[in-house]
Amino acid sequence: MRRARIAFNGAVCEAVVEENGQLRLPNGWVVKEEEVVWLPPVEPRTIFALGLNYADHASELSFSAPKEPLLFFKGRNTLIGHRSKTPRPADATFMHYECELAVVIGKTARNVKAEEAYDYVLGYTVANDYAVRDYLENYYRPNFRVKNRDASTPLGPWIVDKADVDDPMNLTLRTYVNGNIVQEGNTRDMIFTIPFLIEYISSFMTLQAGDIILTGTPKGAVNVESGDEVVTEIERIGRLINYVV
């Protein structure tokens, strides 16, 4: 099942996305995609983000691949929905997209073993975690201004239930800018897998239902400008559209 959060007719609600792309509301109404305002598909508690989780992307940025997960937090202010707009800072010289598989936690997780990690996953969605490289400081303190700007992380369009994704560690990720493919990779190339990350984080911090883990992006960093349409898509998960303004 694919579940979205939308605003329609003055109210926020959860909708089920049908096979034809239409949205079924709790009251039984069926509406079209363009008739609603798309919101991030989950109201998060804690947002975890992972830096340099693909060796090719680390090399692209002239960093060594990390020996353990390079984690940081993101604020709720960063999240926006499908078909939303992300501002490009006026002083930026290099801003790029990052197509990432986002893992949504479904229940309280503490000291979880990797082999049981998927039992704690609710589902998956697509994230586009924009980075403004002008603000990058260094390997150890890389991401506050880079990654916590308002409206800098489109998320969605929906959550796909865990049961509908046989192998989240073998999904193709792609990014298109103005219709041209600029990034392609596969989740099998992650340095730290989803089960490893859930075991690692839950060993020292309790994960809660609604927490989100952004699992990193492969190589393909290309600068985007105001006016660009950026589409990030993940096989079997969804296709997320965003506009740079």
Side-chain angles (χ1 to χ4, degrees), residues 50-148:
L50 197 67
L52 307 181
N53 198 29
Y54 289 75
D56 57 2
H57 182 55
S59 177
E60 175 181 48
L61 299 176
S62 300
F63 286 122
S64 299
K67 303 299 184 184
E68 63 178 283
L70 179 59
L71 288 164
F72 55 96
F73 293 123
K74 291 178 62 69
R76 293 186 181 191
N77 60 293
T78 63
L79 297 187
I80 53 175
H82 179 50
R83 296 191 175 277
S84 294
K85 298 177 181 180
T86 294
R88 188 182 195 275
D91 63 344
T93 60
F94 194 89
M95 170 177 164
H96 69 85
Y97 46 79
E98 292 189 357
C99 181
E100 305 195 22
L101 179 65
V103 180
V104 182
I105 299 299
K107 61 182 180 180
T108 301
R110 176 70 176 170
N111 292 321
V112 173
K113 297 302 181 185
E115 56 270 23
E116 300 172 350
Y118 288 120
D119 294 341
Y120 295 84
V121 173
L122 174 67
Y124 308 95
T125 188
V126 182
N128 178 4
D129 194 16
Y130 282 106
V132 183
R133 290 292 159 190
D134 302 66
Y135 307 144
L136 189 65
E137 295 182 42
N138 57 56
Y139 187 91
Y140 296 100
R141 189 185 171 205
N143 290 310
F144 196 78
R145 290 183 71 202
V146 177
K147 291 288 191 175
N148 274 284

Side-chain angles (χ1 to χ4, degrees), residues 2-224:
R2 297 178 296 176
R3 290 170 288 172
R5 283 180 65 247
I6 54 114
F8 177 76
N9 201 26
V12 173
C13 64
E14 184 176 280
V16 174
V17 185
E18 300 187 334
E19 289 300 319
N20 61 7
Q22 293 186 319
L23 301 164
R24 183 171 296 278
L25 307 185
N27 62 7
W29 291 2
V30 176
V31 298
K32 297 178 181 179
E33 173 181 349
E34 59 270 19
E35 294 179 300
V36 307
V37 175
W38 293 81
L39 305 174
V42 61
E43 293 186 87
R45 292 173 56 92
T46 304
I47 307 168
F48 301 87
L50 197 67
L52 307 181
N53 198 29
Y54 289 75
D56 57 2
H57 182 55
S59 177
E60 175 181 48
L61 299 176
S62 300
F63 286 122
S64 299
K67 303 299 184 184
E68 63 178 283
L70 179 59
L71 288 164
F72 55 96
F73 293 123
K74 291 178 62 69
R76 293 186 181 191
N77 60 293
T78 63
L79 297 187
I80 53 175
H82 179 50
R83 296 191 175 277
S84 294
K85 298 177 181 180
T86 294
R88 188 182 195 275
D91 63 344
T93 60
F94 194 89
M95 170 177 164
H96 69 85
Y97 46 79
E98 292 189 357
C99 181
E100 305 195 22
L101 179 65
V103 180
V104 182
I105 299 299
K107 61 182 180 180
T108 301
R110 176 70 176 170
N111 292 321
V112 173
K113 297 302 181 185
E115 56 270 23
E116 300 172 350
Y118 288 120
D119 294 341
Y120 295 84
V121 173
L122 174 67
Y124 308 95
T125 188
V126 182
N128 178 4
D129 194 16
Y130 282 106
V132 183
R133 290 292 159 190
D134 302 66
Y135 307 144
L136 189 65
E137 295 182 42
N138 57 56
Y139 187 91
Y140 296 100
R141 189 185 171 205
N143 290 310
F144 196 78
R145 290 183 71 202
V146 177
K147 291 288 191 175
N148 274 284
R149 306 187 70 81
D150 291 342
S152 65
T153 308
L155 189 75
W158 45 66
I159 294 176
V160 177
D161 288 349
K162 170 188 64 179
D164 295 331
V165 183
D166 295 335
D167 185 3
M169 293 308 307
N170 187 19
L171 301 174
T172 299
L173 306 88
R174 295 186 181 93
T175 300
Y176 301 83
V177 176
N178 301 325
N180 300 311
I181 188 167
V182 291
Q183 182 183 38
E184 184 169 9
N186 193 288
T187 57
R188 65 171 173 261
D189 296 323
M190 287 184 193
I191 298 170
F192 304 108
T193 66
I194 293 167
F196 179 93
L197 291 169
I198 292 174
E199 178 179 48
Y200 177 82
I201 297 170
S202 71
S203 70
F204 58 84
M205 180 176 178
T206 302
L207 294 169
Q208 304 285 356
D211 287 352
I212 300 173
I213 304 173
L214 307 185
T215 56
T217 195
K219 71 175 181 179
V222 174
N223 182 52
V224 292

